[in-house]
Amino acid sequence: MSTLSDKITLNLDGDAEVLVRGFIAPIEYTQRNYHVDWDELANLKAAEPEKQYPTSIFQAFLPSKSVSVGECWQIQEEGALTLLRQLSPNPQLELKIGGADSYGLWACLRAYNSAFAEILFRIHAEFVLEKGWFAPSQFAGHLVIDRLEKKVASFKMHVPDATLNFDARWTIRDGLCGADIGFCPQMELCAGEQDVLQDAKFTVAITQEEALHTLMLCFYKSAQINWVPLEKALELAPVLQKPIHAISSGGPLADESC
């Protein structure tokens, strides 16, 4: 019987090609109406709706050594940047909106069987525009490898749905830069069949929630804290003989839509 500690090696056929489709839907909302007043934001769309890539680009998402389910590794930067340029020409990984703690490109092996392996990943990046910056909360995604044919069976990199899922800064004129936050209903790159694993039974797997939490720990130390509601803290404090540390936050601690 296979266990979580069993390691596998993942490879791709370098001669194959992958067609990737890119989508950016019109921005639906910003707090300060930048999506109406700022032309670049109002007309934001995918730089290339379709593009063919060599499989070597996706090799950047694979581990350089054998890994076990639940194990994380860093994605190679240039492969991720190449794909992000299909959405907008000038992506960067060092965030101007955000901070040093937000930097990173991490992947995690979620599941595998003899036919497929599923990798979940998370990337923090922003786009440099002519008159400002556009910073999604995060790029989340999955990569499914056909282990028998060594090809990309499915790929998706997207900005997750949320009430607010991006920040923007607009250089309105010299010396004056304004900030805004808003919601974009779709920003993604995808390839292959998205339901390829619909009926798959895995040899070894963790849940999607477990994998996403493991990835979040790669970015934020705050995710290591066992947060509890104030009412629960008031119950636990006298029992555990510990003080209460209360925090009020105006935005999420686990992505960049702050």
Side-chain angles (χ1 to χ4, degrees):
M1 177 181 291
S2 298
T3 67
L4 285 176
S5 60
D6 291 340
K7 294 181 179 289
I8 63 169
T9 302
L10 298 171
N11 292 299
L12 289 168
D13 178 0
D15 294 330
E17 289 198 337
V18 181
L19 177 65
V20 177
R21 294 178 172 85
F23 306 91
I24 299 180
I27 292 170
E28 289 189 358
Y29 167 79
T30 53
Q31 287 184 340
R32 297 184 177 179
N33 238 29
Y34 281 12
H35 70 301
V36 176
D37 300 332
W38 181 11
D39 287 346
E40 279 187 283
L41 218 53
N43 299 310
L44 194 65
K45 59 183 179 180
E48 297 182 75
E50 290 190 358
K51 188 171 181 179
Q52 200 86 13
Y53 292 93
T55 301
S56 58
I57 293 296
F58 296 90
Q59 192 72 38
F61 288 77
L62 302 189
S64 58
K65 58 182 181 180
S66 298
V67 293
S68 55
V69 166
E71 189 172 347
C72 294
W73 62 91
Q74 293 191 61
I75 297 168
Q76 296 174 24
E77 293 183 1
E78 193 48 49
L81 286 170
T82 297
L83 289 167
L84 286 169
R85 290 184 189 107
Q86 185 174 345
L87 291 174
S88 188
N90 297 308
Q92 63 181 20
L93 302 173
E94 298 285 350
L95 304 188
K96 186 175 181 66
I97 305 176
D101 291 344
S102 305
Y103 178 85
L105 310 87
W106 288 91
C108 176
L109 178 60
R110 190 194 79 81
Y112 72 84
N113 56 26
S114 59
F116 296 105
E118 183 184 37
I119 293 165
L120 298 190
F121 62 85
R122 177 170 179 162
I123 294 171
H124 288 191
E126 67 184 13
F127 298 115
V128 181
L129 306 179
E130 184 179 346
K131 293 186 177 180
W133 300 266
F134 181 92
S137 57
Q138 61 170 288
F139 285 97
H142 72 257
L143 172 62
V144 179
I145 303 298
D146 183 324
R147 299 184 67 195
L148 302 177
E149 298 189 23
K150 295 183 178 181
K151 69 177 186 179
V152 174
S154 179
F155 174 80
K156 184 176 181 179
M157 181 196 295
H158 72 288
V159 178
D161 189 19
T163 303
L164 300 169
N165 62 4
F166 74 85
D167 283 347
R169 289 190 184 179
W170 177 20
T171 305
I172 301 170
R173 57 179 182 272
D174 291 345
L176 179 60
C177 183
D180 204 352
I181 188 169
F183 171 66
C184 179
Q186 183 186 33
M187 176 176 283
E188 69 178 47
L189 297 170
C190 60
E193 300 178 25
Q194 297 305 305
D195 60 352
V196 68
L197 296 180
Q198 185 172 357
D199 300 317
K201 298 185 183 302
F202 293 109
T203 307
V204 184
I206 59 175
T207 66
Q208 180 168 332
E209 290 74 19
E210 288 171 324
L212 293 177
H213 182 71
T214 300
L215 288 170
M216 185 169 59
L217 290 173
C218 295
F219 292 90
Y220 300 109
K221 293 187 181 299
S222 61
Q224 300 173 16
I225 299 171
N226 182 27
W227 298 97
V228 296
L230 181 58
E231 294 80 7
K232 186 66 174 177
L234 291 171
E235 294 177 8
L236 290 173
V239 175
L240 300 176
Q241 293 294 297
K242 291 184 176 181
I244 294 175
H245 296 272
I247 294 178
S248 176
S249 174
L253 297 175
D255 67 28
E256 293 309 298
S257 58
C258 54

